[in-house]
């Protein structure tokens, strides 16, 4: 079957306890600014990342009780730094950084960037960018405060233009005290020179729920569809009486430019683009780096778009090759995409049935990538009435019992959002249960699923999935009503 990809769910921190942050400070020293002035091009500065090699480059001081550890709830790579304590304490966390001396003059622009994540809304965070002399004397500082949404990675960026040649730029993260113990995740700390990067913002959905910069909703779910052969869904939306919350499209490796055009059009219409790609090389070669330039180019093009995008590579891999090579490919590509495009959610799409009822090689414990994935998508079909191997399927499945409750438990353990990247049922199934689409979507949402894309097409279809009748379209429209969508620009 042609598989759309999809799913996303609000990511939770490694601790469910509300983080209590007691005047903690993260200090990073980078980028000497030397004289005389030279016309140096902007450089990448220092990116300290997270904790891929543990916390050996980090240290904590201040009042006793604050500790450092690593967490697999990371923004990029496989780990982030966790700062935590059992009681309110004052703490300072330093991360060692070094950079080659470069000629910098007065007027050099630097941008401090820190990605943080908390377990509860209401924690204010301030990032301070400072300029000091070679001897450590204060020259100036700039600060920016934010109150991040819980369970969402938030970037705080502070630009600063130097006043003295030969000075040094530093960045500090200040976490004002509250009544509980310290519990904060920190990742991708950096200080770069050159123009500040455009901010990728979280925002509000049409339901009033928030979404992360990568489009993960904090509550509720997107409801949408794949339509035709990547066909403009405007006529279908007119029939349904509402625009789609998510749109699934499919491209081969040569279709990057077309995919970007489709995603641009979808964002302009308030639809979340959910794109599947086939790859330019085999899984084995992609895992070894042969496709890095292709993936980086794709990620950078998507990063330039004005809104979130979801991407999957080779969905429904079961039976297409060495599944271990597929897993290694995903583990190699995910950090590239997530590190290059803060607005792009990395998604992995599977058939669903194979993970729970098929060969052991396809079980989630065996094939799930050992890296950060934003959304797990499953392609779930109600095959009532389909003829397979000469036998007509007469079982009408209960998706909530067969899939959703299992996925809810697994996704919570894996700390990943989930949903239905493809789903559909036959005309025979609709005659048996004319309200199945609306009810099944509601069941998915109740179990924490964040997206569902109905397979409204005859492309590569082996069942009568298309919403071809007025009553079947009405069932879809009933489910679409009240679901989440991005606001119109």
């Amino acid at each position: 079957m042609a598989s759309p990809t999809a799913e996303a769910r609000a990511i939770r921190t490694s601790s469910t306890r509300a983080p209590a942050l007691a005047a903690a400070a993260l200090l990073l020293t980078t980028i000497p600014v030397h004289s005389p002035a030279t016309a140096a091009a902007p450089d990448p500065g220092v990116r300290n990342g997270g904790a891929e090699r543990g916390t050996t480059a980090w240290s904590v001081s201040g009042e006793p009780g604050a500790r450092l550890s690593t967490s697999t709830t990371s923004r990029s790579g496989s780990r982030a730094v966790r700062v935590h304590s059992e009681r309110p304490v004052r703490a300072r966390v330093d991360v060692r950084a070094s950079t080659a001396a470069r000629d910098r003059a007065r007027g050099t622009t630097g941008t401090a960037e820190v990605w943080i994540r908390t377990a509860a809304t209401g924690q204010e965070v301030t990032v301070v960018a400072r300029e000091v002399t070679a001897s450590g004397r204060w020259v100036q500082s700039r600060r920016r405060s934010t109150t991040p949404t819980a369970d969402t990675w938030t970037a705080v960026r502070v630009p600063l233009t130097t006043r003295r040649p030969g000075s040094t730029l530093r960045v500090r993260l200040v976490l004002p005290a509250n009544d509980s113990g310290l519990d904060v995740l920190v990742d991708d700390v950096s200080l770069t020179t050159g123009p500040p990067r455009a901010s990728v913002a979280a925002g509000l959905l049409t339901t009033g729920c928030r979404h992360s910069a990568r489009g993960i909703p904090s509550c509720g779910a997107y409801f949408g569809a794949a339509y035709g052969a990547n066909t403009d869904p405007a006529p279908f939306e007119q029939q349904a009486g509402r625009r789609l919350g998510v749109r699934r499209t499919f491209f081969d490796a040569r279709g990057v430019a077309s995919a970007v055009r489709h995603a641009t059009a979808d964002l302009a219409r308030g639809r979340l683009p959910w794109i599947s790609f086939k790859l330019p090389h085999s899984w084995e070669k992609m895992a070894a780096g042969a496709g890095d330039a292709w993936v980086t180019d794709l990620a950078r093009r998507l990063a330039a778009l004005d809104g979130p995008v979801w991407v999957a590579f080779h969905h429904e891999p079961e039976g297409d090759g060495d599944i271990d090579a597929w897993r290694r490919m995903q583990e190699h590509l995910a950090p590239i995409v997530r590190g290059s495009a803060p607005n792009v959610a990395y998604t992995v799409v599977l058939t669903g049935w194979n993970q729970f009822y098929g060969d052991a090689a396809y079980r989630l414990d065996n094939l799930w990538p050992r890296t950060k994935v934003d959304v797990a998508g499953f392609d779930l079909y109600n095959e009532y009435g389909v003829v397979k191997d000469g036998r007509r399927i007469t079982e009408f499945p209960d998706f909530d019992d067969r899939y959703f409750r299992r996925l809810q438990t697994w996704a919570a353990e894996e700390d990943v959002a989930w949903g239905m990247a493809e789903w559909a049922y036959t005309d025979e199934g609709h005659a048996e249960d004319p309200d199945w689409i609306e009810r099944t979507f509601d069941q998915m949402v109740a179990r924490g699923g964040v997206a569902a894309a109905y397979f409204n097409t005859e492309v590569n279809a082996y069942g009568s999935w298309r919403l071809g009748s007025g009553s079947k379209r009405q069932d879809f429209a009933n489910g679409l009503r009240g679901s989440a969508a991005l606001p119109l620009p």
Side-chain angles (χ1 to χ4, degrees), residues 382 384 394-398 425 428-430 432-433 436 439:
N382 179 342
Y384 180 84
T394 58
E395 177 193 11
F396 200 100
D398 179 354
Y425 80 145
E428 294 90 341
H430 177 68
E432 184 76 14
D433 185 350
W436 184 80
R439 187 178 67 257

Side-chain angles (χ1 to χ4, degrees), residues 26 53 76 84 89 139 145 185 213 283 285 292 295 348 363:
L26 174 71
R53 299 181 181 178
S76 63
H84 53 105
V89 295
V139 177
S145 299
L185 298 179
W283 297 342
K285 289 183 178 179
D292 286 3
V295 172
V348 168
R363 300 294 165 84

Side-chain angles (χ1 to χ4, degrees), residues 387-449:
V387 176
K388 277 188 170 182
D389 300 324
R391 183 181 67 86
R392 182 176 181 272
I393 297 175
T394 58
E395 177 193 11
F396 200 100
D398 179 354
F399 274 24
D400 189 50
D401 181 66
R402 176 174 288 190
Y403 298 114
F404 296 163
R405 65 180 179 84
R406 298 169 185 261
L407 291 171
Q408 180 183 34
T409 300
W410 171 79
E413 294 172 349
E414 196 66 34
D415 192 22
V416 65
W418 71 275
M420 292 188 288
E422 295 178 32
W423 66 303
Y425 80 145
T426 59
D427 293 344
E428 294 90 341
H430 177 68
E432 184 76 14
D433 185 350
D435 300 317
W436 184 80
I437 294 176
E438 179 184 14
R439 187 178 67 257
T440 302
F441 176 70
D442 289 343
Q443 289 173 336
M444 185 206 73
V445 175
R447 294 286 189 180

Side-chain angles (χ1 to χ4, degrees), residues 24-28 54-62 66-69 81-83 91-96:
L26 174 71
L27 181 63
L28 169 66
T55 60
T56 56
W58 302 67
S59 61
V60 62
S61 60
R67 301 188 303 277
L68 295 178
S69 61
V81 169
R82 183 182 178 214
V83 189
R92 172 170 293 172
V93 181
D94 297 311
V95 54
R96 292 193 298 274

Side-chain angles (χ1 to χ4, degrees), residues 207-265:
T207 56
C209 296
R210 294 191 66 83
H211 68 81
S212 71
R214 298 185 195 270
I216 313 297
S218 61
C219 58
Y222 302 103
F223 187 30
Y227 181 64
N230 293 340
T231 309
D232 180 0
F236 173 48
E237 290 174 317
Q238 187 173 14
Q239 290 177 327
R242 190 176 183 274
R243 58 190 168 92
L244 303 178
V246 58
R247 182 190 177 200
R248 290 286 286 117
T249 52
F250 307 88
F251 299 89
D252 62 22
R254 298 167 297 179
V256 170
S258 181
V260 171
R261 287 195 298 271
H262 279 73
T264 302

